[in-house]
Amino acid sequence: MALLKVKFNLKKRVKLAQGLWLMNWFSVFAGILVFSMGLFLKIELRKRSEVMDNNESHFVPNSLILVGILSCAFNGFAGKICYDSLDPAKFAKWKPMLKPYLALCFVFNILMFFVALICFLMRGSLDSTLAQGLKNGMKFYRDTDTPGRCFMKKTIDMLQIEFKCCGNNGYKDWFEIQWISNRYLDFSSKEVKDRIKSNVDGRYLVDGVPFSCCNPSSPRPCIQYQVTNNSAHYSYDYQTEELNLWRRGCREALLNYYSGMMSSMGAVILLVWLFEMSVMIGLRLLHTSLESIPNPEDPECESEGWVLENNLKDTFKSALENLKKLGKFNQVEAGAEGAEGEEGGKTQAVTTVS
């Protein structure tokens, strides 16, 4: 028994073709929207590529761009088919191409659904990318005189100001690295010497943070040096008092920013996918209703359209059988080639002996 069998007359077929033509052009605009979202996300990721460890994060925008382009191409082609289906003479040239085209549409919809899921599931990969990238970026913060790294201080400062964050996981991350360049250290000073000697790696570590970690909303002037030294500041206790530094780490801030963006895009892709599925089902109904017209010379006669010729179970079994037949056919071909090779070898051997 066919799945979703529907009876059509000429009026219904014309309405279906016209409706699908309009829906396909809506889908073209949806494809442009998906392409634009991918392009926007790619630009946003490239803005902060210096604090990302690798290019894995660009998989999502590249996938969105690809899906957007394919959506425009597939739906533009389907719109042409729907328009020509109103004329039996024009539709005849599309008949041999419809089944392969619908198969490609099915594969494309699977790809679109996969891309939508990736938008929701990319958070874990993005987390590790940002964690390592920010860690490396903070290490290069002091290298303002090193070619290729001189921009990193500005990048990190602008990042912390824009996203209201500090460090990788928090402001204490700055305590573990030397973020002040040796160029601005007085090595004749006892304090500098003592700090460098007290560290195994010979780094100048301080319990301070860059100015960009300061929260301008705080009523107290920013305490960015000797953050953990209560005696260095009047009426101050860093363990109990709300510090006038950004509490949130930049990894969390960027992760929430990009994850929220990708989740919104994933929701849009799912809506577009549902719309594309309805277009594909409608196109399949139009195709089968035109194919099953009993008398092609009488376009006004009734016909039946369906999504699947058999039910889901029978269709699945038939697909498995076709795959098995295809596998056996390949084995037979391989066996035949092997036999031909052996026969040729024997003939050559006989010829040599004679």
Side-chain angles (χ1 to χ4, degrees), residues 220 223 234-243 247:
R220 181 169 189 156
I223 296 176
Y234 177 73
S235 184
Y236 174 75
D237 186 352
Y238 82 96
Q239 291 181 331
T240 59
E241 186 176 344
E242 186 71 23
L243 297 178
R247 288 286 192 174

Side-chain angles (χ1 to χ4, degrees), residues 130-268:
L130 286 169
Q132 190 59 41
L134 282 166
K135 185 177 180 181
N136 293 334
M138 289 171 64
K139 285 180 181 177
F140 303 143
Y141 182 90
R142 64 174 180 168
D143 297 338
T144 51
D145 298 326
T146 306
R149 297 179 186 173
C150 54
F151 61 87
M152 190 56 73
K153 178 185 180 298
K154 180 182 176 182
T155 300
I156 295 292
D157 283 333
M158 294 302 295
L159 177 70
Q160 293 188 146
I161 291 170
E162 181 181 353
F163 285 90
K164 300 179 180 180
C165 59
C166 184
N168 191 343
N169 299 306
Y171 69 92
K172 290 186 178 179
D173 291 337
W174 289 107
F175 299 173
E176 300 171 2
I177 62 170
Q178 180 181 338
W179 55 272
I180 301 173
S181 173
N182 288 338
R183 179 183 179 182
Y184 305 107
L185 294 176
D186 181 10
F187 286 95
S188 62
S189 168
K190 184 177 183 301
E191 181 188 352
V192 173
K193 288 180 180 178
D194 290 343
R195 281 192 177 273
I196 292 175
K197 286 180 181 178
S198 64
N199 189 277
V200 178
D201 298 327
R203 294 176 297 170
Y204 182 75
L205 303 182
V206 294
D207 55 344
V209 297
F211 77 97
S212 52
C213 282
C214 294
N215 180 0
S217 301
S218 173
R220 181 169 189 156
C222 184
I223 296 176
Q224 65 178 108
Y225 293 109
Q226 295 185 326
V227 175
T228 58
N229 186 359
N230 292 335
S231 61
H233 313 283
Y234 177 73
S235 184
Y236 174 75
D237 186 352
Y238 82 96
Q239 291 181 331
T240 59
E241 186 176 344
E242 186 71 23
L243 297 178
N244 50 7
L245 305 175
W246 300 119
R247 288 286 192 174
R248 185 171 61 162
C250 289
R251 179 185 60 82
E252 181 187 350
L254 282 172
L255 187 62
N256 290 341
Y257 174 71
Y258 285 119
S259 296
M261 191 185 297
M262 288 184 186
S263 296
S264 301
M265 290 180 179
V268 172

